[in-house]
Amino acid sequence: MVALPGIAIQDKIYKSSNSLVYGGIRNDGVAIAIKLPGVAGIVHKCSGIALEHFLCIF
């Protein structure tokens, strides 16, 4: 699971290939939701960066 300073992650709210959403509580007691990219989102981002790098070289 994800570890973030000052935040206690309590549970996974949603999971798909595009994103992960966790629920937690900040140190000051405020409930929060944290959305992170899923595997497909990371692959898409990395392939876009690789393409930009490739185009800049040539």
Side-chain angles (χ1 to χ4, degrees):
M1 195 177 279
V2 178
L4 298 170
I7 298 173
I9 303 295
Q10 295 185 325
D11 56 350
K12 189 184 299 184
I13 297 171
Y14 177 79
K15 179 182 177 183
S16 75
S17 61
N18 293 324
S19 64
L20 299 166
V21 180
Y22 292 96
I25 298 179
R26 292 191 322 208
N27 282 346
D28 60 1
V30 176
I32 60 168
I34 302 162
K35 182 177 180 183
L36 302 170
V39 175
I42 293 169
V43 169
H44 177 73
K45 182 99 172 158
C46 289
S47 64
I49 291 169
L51 179 60
E52 286 178 14
H53 181 71
F54 177 77
L55 293 175
C56 290
I57 292 173
F58 294 100

Short mmCIF file of all heavy atoms in Angstrom, two decimals:
data_model
loop_
_atom_site.label_atom_id
_atom_site.label_comp_id
_atom_site.label_asym_id
_atom_site.label_seq_id
_atom_site.Cartn_x
_atom_site.Cartn_y
_atom_site.Cartn_z
N MET A 1 0.84 -1.18 0.00
CA MET A 1 0.00 0.00 0.00
C MET A 1 0.88 1.24 0.00
O MET A 1 2.07 1.18 0.24
CB MET A 1 -0.93 -0.01 1.21
CG MET A 1 -2.05 1.00 1.05
SD MET A 1 -3.28 1.03 2.36
CE MET A 1 -4.31 -0.32 1.90
N VAL A 2 0.28 2.38 -0.24
CA VAL A 2 0.97 3.66 -0.33
C VAL A 2 1.27 4.20 1.06
O VAL A 2 0.45 4.08 1.97
CB VAL A 2 0.09 4.67 -1.10
CG1 VAL A 2 0.76 6.01 -1.18
CG2 VAL A 2 -0.24 4.14 -2.47
N ALA A 3 2.44 4.79 1.25
CA ALA A 3 2.79 5.45 2.52
C ALA A 3 3.09 6.91 2.24
O ALA A 3 3.94 7.23 1.41
CB ALA A 3 3.99 4.77 3.14
N LEU A 4 2.37 7.80 2.90
CA LEU A 4 2.57 9.24 2.74
C LEU A 4 2.75 9.87 4.12
O LEU A 4 1.99 9.57 5.04
CB LEU A 4 1.37 9.88 2.03
CG LEU A 4 1.09 9.38 0.62
CD1 LEU A 4 -0.26 9.90 0.14
CD2 LEU A 4 2.19 9.84 -0.32
N PRO A 5 3.75 10.75 4.28
CA PRO A 5 3.96 11.36 5.59
C PRO A 5 2.78 12.25 5.99
O PRO A 5 2.25 13.00 5.17
CB PRO A 5 5.23 12.19 5.40
CG PRO A 5 5.45 12.29 3.93
CD PRO A 5 4.70 11.18 3.28
N GLY A 6 2.35 12.13 7.23
CA GLY A 6 1.26 12.95 7.74
C GLY A 6 -0.12 12.46 7.38
O GLY A 6 -1.12 13.11 7.67
N ILE A 7 -0.21 11.29 6.73
CA ILE A 7 -1.50 10.75 6.30
C ILE A 7 -1.59 9.28 6.69
O ILE A 7 -0.66 8.51 6.44
CB ILE A 7 -1.68 10.90 4.78
CG1 ILE A 7 -1.68 12.38 4.39
CG2 ILE A 7 -2.96 10.23 4.32
CD1 ILE A 7 -1.68 12.63 2.91
N ALA A 8 -2.69 8.90 7.30
CA ALA A 8 -2.95 7.50 7.63
C ALA A 8 -3.92 6.94 6.59
O ALA A 8 -5.09 7.29 6.57
CB ALA A 8 -3.54 7.39 9.02
N ILE A 9 -3.39 6.10 5.69
CA ILE A 9 -4.23 5.48 4.67
C ILE A 9 -5.06 4.39 5.35
O ILE A 9 -4.51 3.53 6.03
CB ILE A 9 -3.37 4.87 3.54
CG1 ILE A 9 -2.48 5.92 2.91
CG2 ILE A 9 -4.27 4.19 2.51
CD1 ILE A 9 -3.20 7.03 2.19
N GLN A 10 -6.38 4.41 5.14
CA GLN A 10 -7.25 3.45 5.80
C GLN A 10 -7.73 2.34 4.88
O GLN A 10 -7.78 1.20 5.29
CB GLN A 10 -8.43 4.16 6.44
CG GLN A 10 -8.00 5.09 7.55
CD GLN A 10 -9.17 5.71 8.26
OE1 GLN A 10 -10.18 6.02 7.64
NE2 GLN A 10 -9.03 5.91 9.56
N ASP A 11 -8.12 2.68 3.66
CA ASP A 11 -8.62 1.62 2.78
C ASP A 11 -8.56 2.03 1.32
O ASP A 11 -8.42 3.19 0.99
CB ASP A 11 -10.05 1.21 3.15
CG ASP A 11 -11.02 2.39 3.15
OD1 ASP A 11 -10.57 3.54 3.06
OD2 ASP A 11 -12.23 2.15 3.24
N LYS A 12 -8.60 1.01 0.46
CA LYS A 12 -8.66 1.24 -0.98
C LYS A 12 -10.12 1.42 -1.35
O LYS A 12 -10.95 0.54 -1.10
CB LYS A 12 -8.06 0.06 -1.73
CG LYS A 12 -7.89 0.30 -3.21
CD LYS A 12 -7.37 -0.92 -3.94
CE LYS A 12 -6.03 -1.36 -3.43
NZ LYS A 12 -5.47 -2.49 -4.17
N ILE A 13 -10.46 2.55 -1.95
CA ILE A 13 -11.84 2.86 -2.30
C ILE A 13 -12.19 2.35 -3.69
O ILE A 13 -13.27 1.83 -3.93
CB ILE A 13 -12.09 4.38 -2.22
CG1 ILE A 13 -11.87 4.87 -0.79
CG2 ILE A 13 -13.47 4.74 -2.71
CD1 ILE A 13 -11.89 6.37 -0.65
N TYR A 14 -11.23 2.49 -4.62
CA TYR A 14 -11.51 2.16 -6.02
C TYR A 14 -10.22 1.72 -6.70
O TYR A 14 -9.14 2.23 -6.39
CB TYR A 14 -12.07 3.41 -6.72
CG TYR A 14 -12.33 3.23 -8.20
CD1 TYR A 14 -13.46 2.59 -8.66
CD2 TYR A 14 -11.44 3.74 -9.14
CE1 TYR A 14 -13.70 2.44 -10.01
CE2 TYR A 14 -11.67 3.59 -10.50
CZ TYR A 14 -12.80 2.93 -10.92
OH TYR A 14 -13.02 2.78 -12.26
N LYS A 15 -10.33 0.77 -7.62
CA LYS A 15 -9.17 0.31 -8.38
C LYS A 15 -9.60 0.00 -9.80
O LYS A 15 -10.60 -0.69 -10.03
CB LYS A 15 -8.57 -0.94 -7.74
CG LYS A 15 -7.38 -1.48 -8.50
CD LYS A 15 -6.86 -2.74 -7.86
CE LYS A 15 -5.70 -3.29 -8.68
NZ LYS A 15 -5.21 -4.55 -8.14
N SER A 16 -8.86 0.54 -10.76
CA SER A 16 -9.05 0.19 -12.17
C SER A 16 -7.68 0.20 -12.82
O SER A 16 -6.68 0.51 -12.17
CB SER A 16 -9.99 1.18 -12.87
OG SER A 16 -9.33 2.41 -13.11
N SER A 17 -7.61 -0.10 -14.10
CA SER A 17 -6.32 -0.07 -14.79
C SER A 17 -5.81 1.36 -14.94
O SER A 17 -4.63 1.58 -15.13
CB SER A 17 -6.42 -0.75 -16.15
OG SER A 17 -7.35 -0.07 -16.97
N ASN A 18 -6.72 2.34 -14.86
CA ASN A 18 -6.33 3.74 -15.03
C ASN A 18 -6.02 4.47 -13.74
O ASN A 18 -5.28 5.45 -13.75
CB ASN A 18 -7.44 4.51 -15.77
CG ASN A 18 -7.59 4.04 -17.18
OD1 ASN A 18 -6.62 3.69 -17.83
ND2 ASN A 18 -8.80 4.00 -17.66
N SER A 19 -6.61 4.06 -12.62
CA SER A 19 -6.37 4.79 -11.38
C SER A 19 -6.65 3.95 -10.13
O SER A 19 -7.34 2.94 -10.19
CB SER A 19 -7.23 6.05 -11.33
OG SER A 19 -8.60 5.72 -11.31
N LEU A 20 -6.06 4.40 -9.04
CA LEU A 20 -6.29 3.83 -7.71
C LEU A 20 -6.73 4.98 -6.82
O LEU A 20 -6.16 6.06 -6.87
CB LEU A 20 -5.00 3.24 -7.15
CG LEU A 20 -4.36 2.11 -7.94
CD1 LEU A 20 -2.93 1.87 -7.45
CD2 LEU A 20 -5.17 0.86 -7.76
N VAL A 21 -7.73 4.75 -5.98
CA VAL A 21 -8.20 5.77 -5.05
C VAL A 21 -8.18 5.19 -3.65
O VAL A 21 -8.76 4.13 -3.40
CB VAL A 21 -9.61 6.28 -5.41
CG1 VAL A 21 -10.07 7.34 -4.43
CG2 VAL A 21 -9.66 6.82 -6.84
N TYR A 22 -7.49 5.87 -2.76
CA TYR A 22 -7.39 5.46 -1.37
C TYR A 22 -8.07 6.50 -0.49
O TYR A 22 -8.06 7.69 -0.79
CB TYR A 22 -5.93 5.36 -0.93
CG TYR A 22 -5.16 4.24 -1.59
CD1 TYR A 22 -4.39 4.48 -2.72
CD2 TYR A 22 -5.21 2.96 -1.09
CE1 TYR A 22 -3.69 3.46 -3.33
CE2 TYR A 22 -4.51 1.93 -1.69
CZ TYR A 22 -3.75 2.18 -2.81
OH TYR A 22 -3.06 1.17 -3.42
N GLY A 23 -8.63 6.05 0.61
CA GLY A 23 -9.20 6.95 1.61
C GLY A 23 -8.31 6.97 2.83
O GLY A 23 -7.71 5.96 3.19
N GLY A 24 -8.20 8.13 3.46
CA GLY A 24 -7.36 8.22 4.63
C GLY A 24 -7.71 9.44 5.46
O GLY A 24 -8.67 10.15 5.18
N ILE A 25 -6.89 9.65 6.48
CA ILE A 25 -7.08 10.79 7.38
C ILE A 25 -5.74 11.49 7.57
O ILE A 25 -4.72 10.83 7.82
CB ILE A 25 -7.63 10.33 8.75
CG1 ILE A 25 -8.99 9.68 8.55
CG2 ILE A 25 -7.73 11.50 9.72
CD1 ILE A 25 -9.62 9.16 9.81
N ARG A 26 -5.76 12.82 7.45
CA ARG A 26 -4.56 13.61 7.72
C ARG A 26 -4.33 13.68 9.23
O ARG A 26 -5.22 13.36 10.01
CB ARG A 26 -4.71 15.03 7.18
CG ARG A 26 -4.75 15.11 5.68
CD ARG A 26 -4.64 16.51 5.16
NE ARG A 26 -5.34 17.52 5.95
CZ ARG A 26 -5.82 18.66 5.46
NH1 ARG A 26 -5.68 18.94 4.19
NH2 ARG A 26 -6.43 19.51 6.24
N ASN A 27 -3.15 14.11 9.61
CA ASN A 27 -2.82 14.24 11.04
C ASN A 27 -3.75 15.19 11.78
O ASN A 27 -3.96 15.04 12.97
CB ASN A 27 -1.38 14.72 11.21
CG ASN A 27 -0.38 13.59 11.01
OD1 ASN A 27 -0.74 12.42 11.00
ND2 ASN A 27 0.86 13.95 10.82
N ASP A 28 -4.33 16.18 11.06
CA ASP A 28 -5.24 17.12 11.71
C ASP A 28 -6.68 16.61 11.76
O ASP A 28 -7.59 17.33 12.15
CB ASP A 28 -5.17 18.50 11.05
CG ASP A 28 -5.54 18.47 9.58
OD1 ASP A 28 -5.88 17.39 9.05
OD2 ASP A 28 -5.51 19.54 8.94
N GLY A 29 -6.92 15.35 11.34
CA GLY A 29 -8.24 14.74 11.45
C GLY A 29 -9.14 14.89 10.26
O GLY A 29 -10.27 14.40 10.25
N VAL A 30 -8.68 15.55 9.20
CA VAL A 30 -9.49 15.74 8.00
C VAL A 30 -9.46 14.49 7.14
O VAL A 30 -8.38 13.95 6.84
CB VAL A 30 -8.97 16.96 7.19
CG1 VAL A 30 -9.74 17.12 5.90
CG2 VAL A 30 -9.05 18.23 8.03
N ALA A 31 -10.64 14.01 6.73
CA ALA A 31 -10.73 12.85 5.85
C ALA A 31 -10.35 13.27 4.43
O ALA A 31 -10.73 14.35 3.97
CB ALA A 31 -12.14 12.28 5.86
N ILE A 32 -9.59 12.44 3.75
CA ILE A 32 -9.14 12.76 2.40
C ILE A 32 -9.27 11.55 1.48
O ILE A 32 -9.36 10.41 1.94
CB ILE A 32 -7.68 13.26 2.38
CG1 ILE A 32 -6.75 12.18 2.94
CG2 ILE A 32 -7.52 14.55 3.16
CD1 ILE A 32 -5.29 12.45 2.70
N ALA A 33 -9.25 11.82 0.19
CA ALA A 33 -9.17 10.78 -0.84
C ALA A 33 -7.92 11.08 -1.66
O ALA A 33 -7.65 12.24 -1.98
CB ALA A 33 -10.40 10.77 -1.72
N ILE A 34 -7.18 10.05 -1.98
CA ILE A 34 -5.94 10.20 -2.75
C ILE A 34 -6.08 9.39 -4.02
O ILE A 34 -6.32 8.18 -3.97
CB ILE A 34 -4.73 9.70 -1.94
CG1 ILE A 34 -4.63 10.47 -0.64
CG2 ILE A 34 -3.45 9.81 -2.75
CD1 ILE A 34 -3.77 9.79 0.39
N LYS A 35 -5.94 10.05 -5.16
CA LYS A 35 -6.05 9.37 -6.45
C LYS A 35 -4.65 9.26 -7.06
O LYS A 35 -3.94 10.24 -7.20
CB LYS A 35 -6.96 10.15 -7.40
CG LYS A 35 -7.14 9.47 -8.73
CD LYS A 35 -8.11 10.23 -9.61
CE LYS A 35 -8.29 9.54 -10.94
NZ LYS A 35 -9.16 10.32 -11.84
N LEU A 36 -4.28 8.03 -7.42
CA LEU A 36 -2.99 7.76 -8.02
C LEU A 36 -3.20 7.10 -9.38
O LEU A 36 -4.20 6.42 -9.59
CB LEU A 36 -2.18 6.81 -7.13
CG LEU A 36 -1.92 7.28 -5.70
CD1 LEU A 36 -1.33 6.14 -4.89
CD2 LEU A 36 -0.99 8.47 -5.71
N PRO A 37 -2.25 7.29 -10.30
CA PRO A 37 -2.40 6.61 -11.59
C PRO A 37 -2.24 5.11 -11.43
O PRO A 37 -1.43 4.65 -10.62
CB PRO A 37 -1.26 7.20 -12.44
CG PRO A 37 -0.27 7.70 -11.46
CD PRO A 37 -1.04 8.10 -10.25
N GLY A 38 -3.02 4.36 -12.19
CA GLY A 38 -2.89 2.91 -12.19
C GLY A 38 -1.83 2.48 -13.19
O GLY A 38 -1.12 3.31 -13.77
N VAL A 39 -1.73 1.20 -13.43
CA VAL A 39 -0.71 0.67 -14.33
C VAL A 39 -0.86 1.24 -15.73
O VAL A 39 0.11 1.69 -16.33
CB VAL A 39 -0.78 -0.88 -14.36
CG1 VAL A 39 0.18 -1.44 -15.39
CG2 VAL A 39 -0.49 -1.44 -12.99
N ALA A 40 -2.07 1.27 -16.25
CA ALA A 40 -2.28 1.79 -17.62
C ALA A 40 -1.91 3.26 -17.71
O ALA A 40 -1.34 3.71 -18.70
CB ALA A 40 -3.74 1.58 -18.05
N GLY A 41 -2.22 4.02 -16.67
CA GLY A 41 -1.88 5.44 -16.66
C GLY A 41 -0.38 5.67 -16.65
O GLY A 41 0.14 6.54 -17.33
N ILE A 42 0.33 4.85 -15.88
CA ILE A 42 1.78 4.97 -15.82
C ILE A 42 2.42 4.57 -17.14
O ILE A 42 3.30 5.26 -17.64
CB ILE A 42 2.35 4.12 -14.66
CG1 ILE A 42 1.89 4.71 -13.32
CG2 ILE A 42 3.87 4.03 -14.72
CD1 ILE A 42 2.16 3.82 -12.13
N VAL A 43 1.94 3.48 -17.74
CA VAL A 43 2.47 3.04 -19.03
C VAL A 43 2.22 4.09 -20.09
O VAL A 43 3.11 4.42 -20.88
CB VAL A 43 1.85 1.68 -19.45
CG1 VAL A 43 2.18 1.35 -20.89
CG2 VAL A 43 2.33 0.59 -18.51
N HIS A 44 1.03 4.68 -20.10
CA HIS A 44 0.70 5.73 -21.07
C HIS A 44 1.62 6.93 -20.90
O HIS A 44 2.15 7.46 -21.87
CB HIS A 44 -0.76 6.15 -20.91
CG HIS A 44 -1.17 7.25 -21.82
ND1 HIS A 44 -1.36 7.07 -23.17
CD2 HIS A 44 -1.40 8.57 -21.58
CE1 HIS A 44 -1.70 8.21 -23.72
NE2 HIS A 44 -1.73 9.14 -22.76
N LYS A 45 1.84 7.35 -19.67
CA LYS A 45 2.70 8.50 -19.38
C LYS A 45 4.13 8.20 -19.81
O LYS A 45 4.78 9.03 -20.44
CB LYS A 45 2.65 8.82 -17.89
CG LYS A 45 3.45 9.99 -17.48
CD LYS A 45 2.58 11.17 -17.35
CE LYS A 45 3.37 12.33 -16.74
NZ LYS A 45 2.77 13.58 -17.05
N CYS A 46 4.63 7.01 -19.48
CA CYS A 46 6.01 6.65 -19.83
C CYS A 46 6.19 6.54 -21.34
O CYS A 46 7.21 6.96 -21.87
CB CYS A 46 6.40 5.34 -19.17
SG CYS A 46 6.61 5.48 -17.40
N SER A 47 5.21 6.00 -22.04
CA SER A 47 5.34 5.89 -23.49
C SER A 47 5.33 7.27 -24.13
O SER A 47 6.02 7.52 -25.11
CB SER A 47 4.24 5.00 -24.07
OG SER A 47 2.97 5.57 -23.87
N GLY A 48 4.55 8.20 -23.57
CA GLY A 48 4.54 9.57 -24.09
C GLY A 48 5.87 10.26 -23.86
O GLY A 48 6.39 10.96 -24.73
N ILE A 49 6.48 10.03 -22.70
CA ILE A 49 7.78 10.62 -22.41
C ILE A 49 8.84 10.02 -23.32
O ILE A 49 9.69 10.73 -23.85
CB ILE A 49 8.15 10.40 -20.92
CG1 ILE A 49 7.23 11.23 -20.04
CG2 ILE A 49 9.61 10.74 -20.65
CD1 ILE A 49 7.31 10.91 -18.57
N ALA A 50 8.78 8.70 -23.54
CA ALA A 50 9.74 8.04 -24.42
C ALA A 50 9.60 8.58 -25.85
O ALA A 50 10.61 8.81 -26.52
CB ALA A 50 9.53 6.52 -24.40
N LEU A 51 8.38 8.80 -26.31
CA LEU A 51 8.16 9.33 -27.65
C LEU A 51 8.71 10.75 -27.75
O LEU A 51 9.39 11.10 -28.72
CB LEU A 51 6.66 9.32 -27.98
CG LEU A 51 6.28 9.86 -29.36
CD1 LEU A 51 6.95 9.05 -30.46
CD2 LEU A 51 4.79 9.86 -29.54
N GLU A 52 8.47 11.60 -26.75
CA GLU A 52 9.00 12.96 -26.75
C GLU A 52 10.53 12.93 -26.79
O GLU A 52 11.15 13.69 -27.53
CB GLU A 52 8.56 13.72 -25.51
CG GLU A 52 7.11 14.15 -25.52
CD GLU A 52 6.71 14.84 -24.23
OE1 GLU A 52 7.60 15.23 -23.45
OE2 GLU A 52 5.51 14.98 -24.00
N HIS A 53 11.13 12.05 -26.01
CA HIS A 53 12.58 11.94 -25.98
C HIS A 53 13.10 11.51 -27.34
O HIS A 53 14.08 12.05 -27.85
CB HIS A 53 13.01 10.94 -24.90
CG HIS A 53 14.50 10.79 -24.79
ND1 HIS A 53 15.29 11.79 -24.28
CD2 HIS A 53 15.32 9.77 -25.11
CE1 HIS A 53 16.55 11.38 -24.31
NE2 HIS A 53 16.58 10.15 -24.80
N PHE A 54 12.45 10.53 -27.95
CA PHE A 54 12.84 10.04 -29.26
C PHE A 54 12.75 11.16 -30.30
O PHE A 54 13.66 11.35 -31.10
CB PHE A 54 11.95 8.87 -29.68
CG PHE A 54 12.25 8.35 -31.06
CD1 PHE A 54 13.35 7.56 -31.29
CD2 PHE A 54 11.43 8.68 -32.13
CE1 PHE A 54 13.64 7.08 -32.56
CE2 PHE A 54 11.69 8.21 -33.39
CZ PHE A 54 12.82 7.40 -33.62
N LEU A 55 11.67 11.94 -30.27
CA LEU A 55 11.49 13.02 -31.26
C LEU A 55 12.51 14.14 -31.06
O LEU A 55 12.91 14.79 -32.02
CB LEU A 55 10.07 13.57 -31.18
CG LEU A 55 8.96 12.61 -31.62
CD1 LEU A 55 7.59 13.23 -31.36
CD2 LEU A 55 9.12 12.22 -33.08
N CYS A 56 12.92 14.38 -29.82
CA CYS A 56 13.91 15.43 -29.56
C CYS A 56 15.30 15.02 -30.02
O CYS A 56 16.12 15.87 -30.34
CB CYS A 56 13.96 15.75 -28.07
SG CYS A 56 12.46 16.61 -27.51
N ILE A 57 15.58 13.73 -30.04
CA ILE A 57 16.90 13.27 -30.47
C ILE A 57 17.08 13.44 -31.97
O ILE A 57 18.13 13.83 -32.44
CB ILE A 57 17.11 11.79 -30.08
CG1 ILE A 57 17.20 11.67 -28.56
CG2 ILE A 57 18.35 11.20 -30.73
CD1 ILE A 57 17.24 10.26 -28.05
N PHE A 58 16.02 13.20 -32.73
CA PHE A 58 16.13 13.26 -34.19
C PHE A 58 15.56 14.51 -34.77
O PHE A 58 14.74 15.16 -34.38
CB PHE A 58 15.44 12.04 -34.82
CG PHE A 58 16.13 10.77 -34.47
CD1 PHE A 58 15.66 9.93 -33.46
CD2 PHE A 58 17.30 10.41 -35.10
CE1 PHE A 58 16.29 8.76 -33.14
CE2 PHE A 58 17.95 9.23 -34.79
CZ PHE A 58 17.44 8.41 -33.80
#
